[in-house]
Coordinates of all heavy atoms in Angstrom, one line a residue:
M3 N -13.5 55.2 72.9 CA -13.0 55.1 71.6 C -13.6 56.2 70.6 O -14.7 56.7 70.9 CB -13.2 53.7 71.1 CG -12.6 53.4 69.8 SD -11.5 52.0 70.1 CE -10.4 52.1 68.7
A4 N -12.9 56.5 69.6 CA -13.3 57.6 68.7 C -14.6 57.1 67.9 O -14.9 55.9 67.8 CB -12.2 57.9 67.7
K5 N -15.4 58.1 67.6 CA -16.6 57.8 66.8 C -16.2 57.2 65.5 O -15.1 57.4 65.0 CB -17.4 59.0 66.6 CG -17.9 59.7 67.8 CD -18.5 61.1 67.5 CE -18.6 61.9 68.7 NZ -18.9 63.2 68.4
A6 N -17.1 56.4 64.9 CA -16.8 55.7 63.6 C -16.4 56.7 62.5 O -15.5 56.5 61.7 CB -18.0 54.9 63.2
K7 N -17.0 57.9 62.5 CA -16.7 58.9 61.5 C -15.3 59.4 61.7 O -14.7 60.0 60.8 CB -17.7 60.0 61.6 CG -17.6 61.0 62.7 CD -18.5 62.1 62.6 CE -18.2 63.1 63.6 NZ -18.6 64.4 63.3
D8 N -14.7 59.2 62.9 CA -13.4 59.7 63.2 C -12.3 58.6 63.0 O -11.2 58.8 63.5 CB -13.3 60.2 64.6 CG -14.1 61.5 64.8 OD1 -14.4 62.2 63.8 OD2 -14.6 61.7 65.9
H9 N -12.6 57.6 62.2 CA -11.6 56.6 61.9 C -10.4 57.2 61.2 O -10.4 58.2 60.7 CB -12.2 55.4 61.2 CG -12.7 55.5 59.8 ND1 -11.8 55.7 58.8 CD2 -13.8 55.5 59.3 CE1 -12.4 55.8 57.6 NE2 -13.7 55.7 57.9
I10 N -9.3 56.5 61.2 CA -8.0 56.9 60.8 C -8.0 57.4 59.4 O -7.5 58.4 59.0 CB -6.9 55.9 61.1 CG1 -5.5 56.6 60.9 CG2 -7.0 54.7 60.2 CD1 -5.3 57.7 61.8
G11 N -8.7 56.7 58.5 CA -8.9 57.1 57.1 C -9.4 58.5 57.0 O -8.9 59.4 56.2
N12 N -10.6 58.7 57.7 CA -11.1 60.1 57.7 C -10.3 61.1 58.3 O -10.2 62.2 57.8 CB -12.5 60.0 58.4 CG -13.6 59.4 57.7 OD1 -13.5 59.2 56.4 ND2 -14.6 59.0 58.3
M13 N -9.5 60.7 59.3 CA -8.6 61.7 60.0 C -7.5 62.2 59.0 O -7.2 63.3 58.9 CB -8.0 61.1 61.2 CG -9.0 60.8 62.3 SD -8.4 59.7 63.7 CE -7.0 60.7 64.3
I14 N -7.0 61.2 58.2 CA -6.0 61.5 57.2 C -6.6 62.3 56.1 O -6.0 63.4 55.8 CB -5.3 60.2 56.7 CG1 -4.6 59.5 57.8 CG2 -4.4 60.6 55.5 CD1 -4.1 58.1 57.4
R15 N -7.7 62.0 55.6 CA -8.4 62.7 54.6 C -8.7 64.2 55.0 O -8.4 65.0 54.3 CB -9.7 62.0 54.2 CG -10.4 62.7 53.0 CD -11.8 62.1 52.9 NE -11.8 60.7 52.6 CZ -11.7 60.2 51.4 NH1 -11.7 60.9 50.3 NH2 -11.7 58.8 51.2
E16 N -9.1 64.3 56.3 CA -9.4 65.7 56.8 C -8.1 66.6 56.9 O -8.1 67.7 56.5 CB -10.0 65.6 58.2 CG -10.6 66.9 58.6 CD -11.6 67.5 57.8 OE1 -12.4 66.8 57.2 OE2 -11.7 68.8 57.7
K17 N -7.0 65.9 57.3 CA -5.7 66.6 57.4 C -5.2 67.0 56.0 O -4.7 68.1 55.8 CB -4.6 65.8 58.2 CG -3.4 66.4 58.4 CD -3.5 67.8 59.2 CE -4.1 67.7 60.5 NZ -4.1 68.9 61.3
L18 N -5.4 66.1 55.0 CA -5.0 66.4 53.6 C -5.8 67.6 53.1 O -5.2 68.6 52.6 CB -5.3 65.3 52.7 CG -4.4 64.1 52.8 CD1 -4.9 62.9 52.1 CD2 -3.0 64.5 52.3
K19 N -7.1 67.7 53.4 CA -7.9 68.7 53.0 C -7.5 70.1 53.6 O -7.4 71.1 53.0 CB -9.4 68.4 53.4 CG -10.4 69.4 53.0 CD -11.8 69.0 53.3 CE -12.8 70.0 53.0 NZ -14.2 69.6 53.5
E20 N -7.3 70.0 54.9 CA -6.8 71.1 55.7 C -5.5 71.7 55.1 O -5.4 72.9 55.1 CB -6.5 70.6 57.2 CG -6.8 71.6 58.2 CD -6.5 70.9 59.6 OE1 -7.5 70.3 60.1 OE2 -5.4 71.0 60.1
Q21 N -4.6 70.9 54.7 CA -3.3 71.3 54.2 C -3.4 71.6 52.7 O -2.4 72.0 52.1 CB -2.3 70.2 54.4 CG -2.0 70.1 55.9 CD -0.8 69.0 56.1 OE1 -0.2 68.5 55.2 NE2 -0.6 68.8 57.4
G22 N -4.6 71.5 52.0 CA -4.7 71.7 50.6 C -4.0 70.7 49.7 O -3.7 71.1 48.6
R23 N -3.9 69.5 50.2 CA -3.2 68.4 49.4 C -4.2 67.5 48.8 O -5.2 67.2 49.4 CB -2.3 67.7 50.3 CG -1.1 68.6 50.8 CD -0.2 67.8 51.7 NE 0.8 68.6 52.4 CZ 1.9 69.0 51.9 NH1 2.2 68.8 50.6 NH2 2.7 69.8 52.7
S24 N -4.0 67.1 47.6 CA -4.9 66.2 46.9 C -4.6 64.7 47.2 O -3.5 64.4 47.7 CB -4.8 66.4 45.4 OG -3.5 66.0 44.9
V25 N -5.5 63.9 46.9 CA -5.3 62.5 47.1 C -4.3 62.0 46.1 O -3.5 61.1 46.4 CB -6.7 61.6 46.9 CG1 -6.4 60.2 46.9 CG2 -7.6 62.1 48.1
T26 N -4.2 62.6 44.9 CA -3.2 62.3 44.0 C -1.8 62.6 44.5 O -0.9 61.7 44.3 CB -3.4 63.1 42.6 OG1 -4.8 62.8 42.1 CG2 -2.4 62.7 41.6
W27 N -1.6 63.8 45.1 CA -0.4 64.0 45.8 C 0.0 63.0 46.8 O 1.1 62.5 46.9 CB -0.4 65.4 46.4 CG 0.8 65.8 47.2 CD1 2.0 66.3 46.7 CD2 1.0 65.5 48.6 NE1 2.9 66.4 47.7 CE2 2.3 65.9 48.9 CE3 0.2 64.9 49.6 CZ2 2.9 65.8 50.1 CZ3 0.8 64.8 50.9 CH2 2.1 65.2 51.1
F28 N -1.0 62.7 47.6 CA -0.8 61.8 48.8 C -0.5 60.4 48.2 O 0.5 59.7 48.7 CB -2.1 61.7 49.6 CG -2.0 60.8 50.8 CD1 -1.0 61.0 51.8 CD2 -2.8 59.8 51.0 CE1 -1.0 60.3 52.9 CE2 -2.8 59.0 52.1 CZ -1.8 59.2 53.0
A29 N -1.1 59.9 47.2 CA -0.8 58.6 46.6 C 0.6 58.5 46.1 O 1.3 57.6 46.4 CB -1.8 58.3 45.4
A30 N 1.1 59.6 45.4 CA 2.4 59.6 45.0 C 3.4 59.6 46.1 O 4.4 59.0 46.1 CB 2.6 60.8 44.1
A31 N 3.0 60.4 47.2 CA 4.0 60.5 48.4 C 4.1 59.2 49.1 O 5.1 58.9 49.7 CB 3.4 61.5 49.3
I32 N 3.1 58.3 49.1 CA 3.2 57.0 49.8 C 3.4 55.9 48.8 O 3.3 54.7 49.1 CB 1.9 56.7 50.6 CG1 0.6 56.6 49.7 CG2 1.7 57.7 51.7 CD1 -0.6 56.1 50.5
H33 N 3.8 56.3 47.6 CA 4.2 55.3 46.5 C 3.0 54.3 46.2 O 3.2 53.1 46.2 CB 5.5 54.6 46.9 CG 6.5 55.5 47.2 ND1 7.2 56.3 46.3 CD2 7.2 55.8 48.4 CE1 8.1 57.0 46.9 NE2 8.0 56.7 48.2
S34 N 1.9 54.9 46.0 CA 0.7 54.0 45.8 C -0.1 54.7 44.6 O 0.2 55.7 44.2 CB -0.2 54.0 47.0 OG -1.3 53.1 46.7
D35 N -1.1 54.0 44.1 CA -1.9 54.6 43.1 C -3.2 55.1 43.7 O -3.5 54.9 44.9 CB -2.3 53.6 41.9 CG -3.0 52.4 42.4 OD1 -4.0 52.5 43.1 OD2 -2.7 51.2 42.0
R36 N -3.8 56.0 43.0 CA -5.0 56.7 43.5 C -6.1 55.7 44.0 O -6.7 55.9 45.1 CB -5.6 57.6 42.5 CG -4.9 58.9 42.5 CD -5.5 60.0 41.5 NE -7.0 59.8 41.5 CZ -7.8 60.1 40.4 NH1 -7.1 60.6 39.3 NH2 -9.0 60.0 40.5
S37 N -6.3 54.6 43.2 CA -7.4 53.7 43.6 C -7.1 53.0 45.0 O -8.0 53.0 45.8 CB -7.5 52.6 42.5 OG -8.4 51.6 42.9
N38 N -5.9 52.6 45.2 CA -5.6 51.9 46.5 C -5.5 52.9 47.6 O -5.9 52.7 48.7 CB -4.2 51.3 46.4 CG -4.2 50.0 45.7 OD1 -5.3 49.3 45.6 ND2 -3.2 49.6 45.1
T39 N -5.1 54.2 47.3 CA -5.2 55.2 48.3 C -6.5 55.6 48.7 O -6.8 55.7 49.9 CB -4.4 56.5 47.8 OG1 -3.1 56.2 47.4 CG2 -4.4 57.6 48.8
Y40 N -7.5 55.7 47.8 CA -8.9 55.9 48.2 C -9.4 54.8 49.1 O -10.1 55.0 50.0 CB -9.8 56.1 46.9 CG -9.8 57.5 46.4 CD1 -9.2 57.7 45.1 CD2 -10.4 58.5 47.1 CE1 -9.2 59.1 44.6 CE2 -10.3 59.8 46.6 CZ -9.8 60.1 45.3 OH -9.8 61.3 44.8
K41 N -9.0 53.6 48.7 CA -9.5 52.4 49.5 C -8.9 52.5 50.9 O -9.6 52.2 51.9 CB -9.0 51.1 48.9 CG -9.8 50.7 47.7 CD -9.3 49.4 47.0 CE -9.9 49.2 45.7 NZ -9.3 48.1 45.0
M42 N -7.6 52.9 51.1 CA -7.0 53.0 52.3 C -7.7 54.1 53.2 O -7.9 53.9 54.4 CB -5.5 53.4 52.2 CG -4.7 53.6 53.5 SD -3.2 54.4 53.5 CE -3.8 56.1 53.2
L43 N -8.1 55.2 52.5 CA -8.8 56.3 53.3 C -10.1 56.0 53.8 O -10.7 56.6 54.6 CB -8.8 57.5 52.4 CG -7.4 58.2 52.1 CD1 -7.5 59.3 51.2 CD2 -6.7 58.6 53.4
K44 N -10.7 54.8 53.3 CA -12.0 54.3 53.7 C -11.9 53.3 54.9 O -12.8 53.1 55.5 CB -12.7 53.7 52.6 CG -13.2 54.6 51.5 CD -14.0 53.9 50.4 CE -14.4 54.9 49.4 NZ -15.1 54.2 48.3
R45 N -10.6 52.9 55.1 CA -10.5 51.9 56.2 C -10.4 52.5 57.5 O -10.1 53.7 57.7 CB -9.1 51.2 56.0 CG -9.1 50.3 54.7 CD -8.0 49.4 54.7 NE -6.6 49.9 55.1 CZ -5.6 49.8 54.3 NH1 -5.6 49.3 53.2 NH2 -4.5 50.4 54.8
E46 N -10.8 51.7 58.5 CA -10.9 52.1 59.9 C -9.6 51.9 60.6 O -9.3 52.4 61.7 CB -12.0 51.5 60.6 CG -13.4 51.9 60.2 CD -14.5 51.3 61.0 OE1 -14.2 50.8 62.2 OE2 -15.6 51.2 60.5
S47 N -8.7 51.1 60.0 CA -7.4 50.9 60.6 C -6.3 50.9 59.5 O -6.6 50.9 58.3 CB -7.4 49.5 61.3 OG -7.6 48.5 60.3
I48 N -5.0 51.1 60.0 CA -3.9 51.2 59.1 C -2.7 50.6 59.8 O -2.6 50.7 61.0 CB -3.8 52.7 58.7 CG1 -2.8 53.0 57.6 CG2 -3.4 53.5 60.0 CD1 -2.7 54.3 57.1
D49 N -1.8 50.2 59.0 CA -0.5 49.6 59.5 C 0.2 50.7 60.3 O 0.3 51.9 59.8 CB 0.3 49.2 58.3 CG 1.7 48.6 58.7 OD1 1.8 47.5 59.1 OD2 2.7 49.4 58.5
L50 N 0.8 50.4 61.4 CA 1.5 51.4 62.3 C 2.7 52.1 61.6 O 2.8 53.3 61.7 CB 1.9 50.7 63.6 CG 2.6 51.7 64.6 CD1 1.7 52.8 64.9 CD2 3.0 50.8 65.8
A51 N 3.5 51.3 60.9 CA 4.6 51.9 60.2 C 4.2 52.8 59.1 O 4.7 54.0 59.1 CB 5.5 50.8 59.6
L52 N 3.1 52.5 58.4 CA 2.6 53.4 57.4 C 2.0 54.7 58.0 O 2.2 55.8 57.6 CB 1.5 52.8 56.6 CG 0.8 53.6 55.5 CD1 1.8 54.3 54.5 CD2 -0.3 52.8 54.8
L53 N 1.3 54.5 59.2 CA 0.8 55.7 59.9 C 1.9 56.6 60.4 O 1.8 57.9 60.3 CB -0.1 55.3 61.1 CG -0.8 56.4 61.8 CD1 -1.7 57.2 60.9 CD2 -1.6 55.8 63.0
M54 N 3.0 56.1 60.8 CA 4.1 56.8 61.3 C 4.7 57.6 60.1 O 5.1 58.8 60.2 CB 5.2 56.0 61.9 CG 4.7 55.4 63.3 SD 5.8 54.2 64.0 CE 7.2 55.2 64.4
D55 N 4.8 57.0 58.9 CA 5.3 57.7 57.7 C 4.4 58.8 57.3 O 4.8 59.9 57.0 CB 5.5 56.7 56.6 CG 6.6 55.7 56.7 OD1 7.5 55.9 57.6 OD2 6.6 54.7 56.0
I56 N 3.1 58.6 57.4 CA 2.1 59.5 57.0 C 2.2 60.7 58.0 O 2.1 61.9 57.6 CB 0.6 58.9 56.9 CG1 0.6 58.0 55.8 CG2 -0.4 60.0 56.9 CD1 -0.7 57.1 55.8
S57 N 2.3 60.4 59.2 CA 2.4 61.5 60.3 C 3.5 62.4 60.0 O 3.5 63.6 60.1 CB 2.6 60.8 61.7 OG 1.3 60.2 62.1
E58 N 4.7 61.7 59.6 CA 5.9 62.5 59.4 C 5.7 63.4 58.1 O 6.0 64.6 58.0 CB 7.1 61.6 59.2 CG 8.4 62.3 59.2 CD 9.6 61.3 59.2 OE1 9.5 60.3 60.0 OE2 10.5 61.6 58.5
M59 N 5.1 62.8 57.0 CA 4.9 63.4 55.8 C 4.0 64.6 55.9 O 4.2 65.6 55.3 CB 4.2 62.4 54.8 CG 3.9 62.7 53.5 SD 3.1 61.4 52.6 CE 3.9 60.0 53.1
L60 N 2.9 64.5 56.7 CA 2.0 65.6 56.9 C 2.3 66.4 58.1 O 1.5 67.4 58.4 CB 0.5 65.0 57.0 CG 0.0 64.3 55.8 CD1 -1.4 63.7 56.0 CD2 0.0 65.1 54.5
N61 N 3.4 66.1 58.8 CA 3.8 66.9 59.9 C 2.6 67.0 61.0 O 2.3 68.1 61.5 CB 4.3 68.3 59.5 CG 5.1 69.0 60.7 OD1 5.7 68.3 61.5 ND2 5.0 70.2 60.7
Y62 N 2.1 65.8 61.3 CA 0.9 65.8 62.2 C 0.9 64.5 62.9 O 1.2 63.4 62.3 CB -0.4 66.0 61.5 CG -1.6 66.1 62.4 CD1 -1.9 67.3 63.0 CD2 -2.4 64.9 62.7 CE1 -2.9 67.3 63.9 CE2 -3.4 65.0 63.6 CZ -3.7 66.2 64.2 OH -4.7 66.3 65.1
D63 N 0.7 64.5 64.3 CA 0.8 63.3 65.1 C -0.5 62.6 65.2 O -1.3 62.8 66.1 CB 1.3 63.7 66.5 CG 1.8 62.5 67.3 OD1 1.5 61.3 66.9 OD2 2.3 62.7 68.4
F64 N -0.8 61.7 64.2 CA -2.0 60.9 64.2 C -2.0 59.9 65.3 O -3.0 59.5 65.9 CB -2.1 60.1 62.9 CG -2.5 61.1 61.8 CD1 -1.5 61.4 60.8 CD2 -3.7 61.5 61.5 CE1 -1.8 62.2 59.7 CE2 -4.0 62.4 60.5 CZ -3.1 62.7 59.6
L65 N -0.8 59.5 65.7 CA -0.7 58.5 66.9 C -1.2 59.1 68.1 O -1.9 58.5 68.9 CB 0.8 58.1 67.1 CG 1.3 57.3 65.8 CD1 2.9 57.1 66.0 CD2 0.7 56.0 65.7
K66 N -0.9 60.4 68.4 CA -1.4 61.1 69.6 C -2.9 61.1 69.6 O -3.6 60.9 70.6 CB -0.8 62.5 69.6 CG -1.2 63.2 70.9 CD -0.6 64.6 70.9 CE -1.1 65.4 72.1 NZ -0.8 66.8 72.0
D67 N -3.5 61.5 68.4 CA -4.9 61.5 68.3 C -5.5 60.2 68.6 O -6.6 60.1 69.3 CB -5.3 62.0 66.9 CG -5.2 63.5 66.7 OD1 -4.8 64.2 67.7 OD2 -5.6 63.9 65.6
C68 N -5.0 59.2 68.1 CA -5.5 57.8 68.3 C -5.4 57.4 69.8 O -6.3 56.9 70.4 CB -4.8 56.8 67.5 SG -5.1 56.9 65.7
S69 N -4.3 57.8 70.4 CA -4.0 57.5 71.8 C -5.0 58.2 72.7 O -5.6 57.7 73.6 CB -2.6 57.9 72.2 OG -2.4 57.7 73.6
E70 N -5.3 59.5 72.4 CA -6.2 60.3 73.2 C -7.6 59.8 73.1 O -8.4 59.9 74.0 CB -6.1 61.8 72.8 CG -4.9 62.5 73.2 CD -4.7 63.9 72.6 OE1 -5.5 64.3 71.8 OE2 -3.8 64.6 73.1
A71 N -7.9 59.1 72.0 CA -9.3 58.6 71.7 C -9.6 57.4 72.6 O -10.7 57.1 72.8 CB -9.5 58.2 70.3
L72 N -8.5 56.8 73.3 CA -8.8 55.6 74.1 C -9.4 56.0 75.4 O -10.1 55.2 76.0 CB -7.4 55.0 74.4 CG -6.8 54.3 73.2 CD1 -5.4 53.8 73.5 CD2 -7.6 53.2 72.6
N73 N -9.2 57.2 76.0 CA -9.8 57.7 77.1 C -9.7 56.7 78.3 O -10.6 56.3 79.0 CB -11.3 57.9 76.9 CG -11.6 59.1 76.0 OD1 -10.8 60.1 76.1 ND2 -12.6 59.0 75.2
F74 N -8.4 56.3 78.6 CA -8.2 55.4 79.8 C -8.5 56.2 81.1 O -8.2 57.4 81.2 CB -6.7 55.0 79.7 CG -6.5 53.9 78.8 CD1 -5.5 54.1 77.8 CD2 -7.1 52.7 78.9 CE1 -5.3 53.1 76.9 CE2 -6.8 51.7 77.9 CZ -5.8 51.9 77.0
D75 N -8.9 55.5 82.1 CA -9.1 56.0 83.4 C -7.7 56.2 84.0 O -6.9 55.3 84.2 CB -9.9 55.1 84.3 CG -10.1 55.6 85.6 OD1 -9.7 56.7 86.0 OD2 -10.7 54.9 86.4
S76 N -7.3 57.5 84.3 CA -6.0 57.8 84.8 C -5.6 57.1 86.1 O -4.5 56.9 86.4 CB -5.8 59.3 84.9 OG -6.7 59.8 85.9
E77 N -6.6 56.7 86.9 CA -6.2 56.0 88.1 C -5.8 54.6 87.9 O -5.2 54.0 88.8 CB -7.6 56.0 89.0 CG -7.9 57.3 89.6 CD -9.1 57.3 90.5 OE1 -9.5 56.1 91.0 OE2 -9.7 58.3 90.7
N78 N -6.0 54.0 86.8 CA -5.6 52.7 86.4 C -4.3 52.6 85.8 O -3.8 51.5 85.5 CB -6.7 52.0 85.5 CG -8.0 51.7 86.2 OD1 -8.0 51.6 87.4 ND2 -9.1 51.8 85.5
H79 N -3.7 53.7 85.6 CA -2.3 53.7 84.9 C -1.3 54.5 85.8 O -1.4 55.4 86.3 CB -2.4 54.4 83.5 CG -3.2 53.5 82.6 ND1 -4.5 53.6 82.4 CD2 -2.9 52.4 81.9 CE1 -4.9 52.7 81.6 NE2 -3.9 52.0 81.2

């Protein structure tokens, strides 16, 4: 599993930074206020539908990153 510092909130925050987008922009894009958005970015988990929307919005596949973090043994699948 991914390290604690690599939780989904941090992953989204890092992608926003990489793209030069502010939390204010992001909050407006997900129809939330800044306070709730900052709380969301501190969480280790996120609703799947919201993550899919965020992935599309930022043109980045967070689901793939999460899946790759599972490190399943390929012989068992």
Side-chain angles (χ1 to χ4, degrees):
M3 189 120 197
K5 299 174 197 167
K7 71 174 190 156
D8 293 334
H9 68 70
I10 193 61
N12 284 340
M13 292 166 62
I14 294 168
R15 184 186 301 267
E16 190 62 33
K17 188 54 65 176
L18 287 169
K19 183 179 177 183
E20 211 176 273
Q21 293 183 3
R23 299 183 188 273
S24 69
V25 173
T26 303
W27 173 88
F28 183 60
I32 62 171
H33 309 290
S34 184
D35 61 48
R36 278 185 32 211
S37 177
N38 284 334
T39 302
Y40 276 111
K41 288 176 189 175
M42 182 196 73
L43 293 173
K44 290 181 181 179
R45 294 196 314 236
E46 293 184 22
S47 63
I48 190 170
D49 178 78
L50 182 58
L52 178 57
L53 184 59
M54 290 173 67
D55 288 345
I56 292 169
S57 291
E58 193 171 320
M59 180 184 320
L60 297 178
N61 195 33
Y62 186 80
D63 191 351
F64 290 102
L65 297 169
K66 181 180 177 195
D67 282 357
C68 292
S69 177
E70 288 174 353
L72 293 173
N73 293 322
F74 284 118
D75 180 359
S76 60
E77 291 183 17
N78 292 331
H79 290 93

